[in-house]
Amino acid sequence: MTFATLLLAVSFVNSDAWNFWCNEKIATLNRDELKAAVEKDVDFYARPGVEAVFYNMNFQRSFYPTKVGTPYWKDCAIGPDGKLTLRGKPIPEVTGEESPESTYRKMFLSVKNMQEKFPEFMTYRYEYCHQKGLEMWHSMRMNDIHHATIGMEFRPQHGDLWLDHKECVRAWYRHTWRSEWNDNALDYGQKKVYDYHLAMAREYLMDYPNDGLEFDWLRSAPVFKPGFDEMNMPRLTDFVRQVKKYALEAEKKWGHKIRLAHRVPARVRDAYGLGMDISTWAKEGLVDVLIPGGVPGTSTEGDVDIAIYRALAPKPVVIAPELNCSIGTRPGWGVRFDRAIDSGFASGFYQAGADGIYFYNHFPYHDKDFPWVKDFFAEAADRAKVASLPRRHVYTWHQRTGEGRFEEENMPHAIWPQCCNGGVKINCGEKVTGRAARVVFGTTKPFSTDVLVNTVKCVAPAKAEPVNVPRRKKTETFYYTSEIPSGTLHDGVNVVEFFNTSDFTLEPGQLIWLEIVVD
């Protein structure tokens, strides 16, 4: 099969609730203006090749009048001082954080105004998406637990189930000043939690028009208490089976196909470690789109198990790996996305067998600083276009999810003097032959080294000041670039090696950035 026959691809875009409802203008608009705001939001995503927008309408609370969960506005009010209260109490401030009261107040006023003046906006958004040639899916956050550590528990993001039933939390005993958000997630092993989320999924599918439902498991995993992930795999599969039944019921109501997507970890082992029986889901037709993504949910991961997911979930299941808003090469070292970085990941994903690209945290408010975003939705769905673009293929580290999660990286842990301690694999995507390319790397101390790509020695590294690479105020950084000889790179996975010519060991953690740039 030739490259030309493989060009058909799609883009999916996730639009989360924070993105839309934090727009303070929504709180002041009249009905016609609210309708126009909904249209403007859809128009941002409506590009050739964008198949669907996944609209998220819940974290724990919901931004619609849910009969199952907790509506955002329940027990909220504006106090005499003009600040937002929850259950008659002020929302506590947290030192060093943007005022949560201000953020949640914006959302409260926005959703309140929408419900009062344009309550049928979800139906209108669905209809307008279809006018623009888009499918509109619901994106259900399966266990969103933003801001739940000490001092952050009492906020109008958390629903009544979480606020009033801490016995339903998967690891509340870990609730200390160093506890992680995920420790405070709800436990699907408990009937009350299981039934609650089933009912919400049915509500999404049956009460509001849609073309599909995304299970956003990465907001947040795990979904079972410690020690019970693998043993609850049948329970999670039963959950997915039941939602499939609801989807078939919804098809009869709405008169068209309803598809199901699952946002899952980048690595298959992590998915199974969370109780996700991907193979059974695929065999039983419980999944139409698989979205492997980074954990904890905000970073793009380059080394995605696309081939293994494909073996477990053959076509017609669509595999659409995730592009997110940040990129990290090791703990604490990362940058925001840019067009070349997104292009690099997209081309690498296609080369590895992906059917499309899924965008997370690529929002309209990015338009000011990243005006290329809305056009890239279309470019990412055009495999040939992506292959032709300038690209940055950035090495990314892996953070496992679930219990016993450990950071993993393929960087050499140390590079001894006059030694080469192994190579680093980077997928350079497609159509790289004959194009100018270079290795860019960064260290926390001056470093003398030979650089080899696919065993070929590159031009001697020179100091560089590249754009959009990690910097720290209190840590000195040194960046270098090394030109790759023509004909050295090939499509797909390439290996970069460092032969240390310094008289010291480059210690673990001192190599903090690595990428291959294809012009």
Side-chain angles (χ1 to χ4, degrees), residues 436-451:
R438 61 193 179 277
V439 175
V440 176
F441 62 98
T443 60
T444 58
K445 64 186 301 183
F447 185 49
S448 175
T449 184
D450 289 333
V451 177

Side-chain angles (χ1 to χ4, degrees), residues 10 140 143 191 198 218 220 246 249 297 330 346 373 515:
V10 296
M140 178 176 166
N143 210 349
K191 187 176 187 303
L198 267 183
L218 298 190
S220 297
Y246 296 155
E249 185 180 355
R330 63 182 313 118
V373 166
E515 64 177 301

Side-chain angles (χ1 to χ4, degrees), residues 99-111:
S99 171
E101 189 280 329
S102 174
T103 300
Y104 290 111
R105 183 175 181 274
K106 284 180 191 175
M107 289 193 279
F108 170 72
L109 293 175
S110 294
V111 71

Side-chain angles (χ1 to χ4, degrees), residues 89-293:
K89 299 179 182 179
I91 299 169
E93 300 283 343
V94 178
T95 303
E97 184 187 70
E98 179 186 357
S99 171
E101 189 280 329
S102 174
T103 300
Y104 290 111
R105 183 175 181 274
K106 284 180 191 175
M107 289 193 279
F108 170 72
L109 293 175
S110 294
V111 71
K112 182 174 181 289
N113 190 51
M114 184 73 79
Q115 290 300 323
E116 289 175 353
K117 296 178 182 175
F118 190 27
E120 70 275 24
F121 81 95
M122 288 178 71
T123 298
Y124 182 77
R125 184 164 61 188
Y126 172 82
E127 294 169 349
Y128 188 73
C129 279
H130 279 232
Q131 289 180 35
K132 303 297 289 189
L134 297 170
E135 290 187 5
M136 198 218 78
W137 295 35
H138 300 305
S139 175
M140 178 176 166
R141 293 195 169 183
M142 306 309 293
N143 210 349
D144 194 335
I145 200 64
H146 275 75
H147 309 306
T149 47
I150 294 236
M152 302 186 190
E153 309 96 326
F154 192 72
R155 296 186 176 193
Q157 120 134 43
H158 306 309
D160 289 350
L161 179 62
W162 191 89
L163 284 170
D164 296 332
H165 295 278
K166 292 299 191 294
E167 75 279 6
C168 290
V169 174
R170 63 178 297 273
W172 187 251
Y173 58 88
R174 294 179 180 173
H175 194 64
T176 66
W177 71 278
R178 286 296 302 271
S179 66
E180 297 189 23
W181 289 0
N182 296 0
D183 295 340
N184 301 313
L186 293 167
D187 173 20
Y188 276 61
Q190 300 198 42
K191 187 176 187 303
K192 189 180 296 183
V193 175
Y194 184 95
D195 291 348
Y196 168 83
H197 287 96
L198 267 183
M200 179 173 284
R202 188 178 189 279
E203 183 176 63
Y204 265 125
L205 288 166
M206 295 298 296
D207 290 5
Y208 300 93
N210 65 93
D211 297 295
L213 176 66
E214 177 196 27
F215 299 77
D216 189 349
W217 295 109
L218 298 190
R219 289 291 192 199
S220 297
V223 298
F224 296 109
K225 66 182 179 181
F228 291 84
D229 301 294
E230 288 84 356
M231 73 170 292
N232 271 313
M233 188 175 289
R235 183 176 182 82
L236 197 61
T237 298
D238 283 342
F239 182 95
V240 176
R241 285 191 186 109
Q242 184 58 55
V243 177
K244 177 63 176 181
K245 293 178 182 178
Y246 296 155
L248 295 174
E249 185 180 355
E251 288 182 357
K252 294 177 181 178
K253 176 174 181 176
W254 302 117
H256 59 255
K257 174 72 175 176
I258 301 291
R259 293 189 289 168
L260 300 175
H262 293 267
R263 185 168 175 248
V264 297
R267 304 286 178 88
V268 169
R269 180 180 179 184
D270 291 355
Y272 276 82
L274 293 170
M276 300 176 181
D277 190 350
I278 305 296
S279 178
T280 297
W281 296 0
K283 288 176 183 175
E284 296 187 11
L286 308 179
V287 55
D288 298 288
V289 181
L290 272 176
I291 303 163

Side-chain angles (χ1 to χ4, degrees), residues 29-36 117-120:
L29 302 181
N30 61 36
R31 179 181 173 85
D32 289 340
E33 291 169 334
L34 288 169
K35 185 179 292 188
K117 296 178 182 175
F118 190 27
E120 70 275 24

Side-chain angles (χ1 to χ4, degrees), residues 388-404:
S388 72
L389 293 173
R391 307 195 301 262
R392 299 176 63 185
H393 297 275
V394 182
Y395 162 85
T396 59
W397 69 294
H398 172 63
Q399 181 178 336
R400 292 181 61 194
T401 189
E403 293 302 322

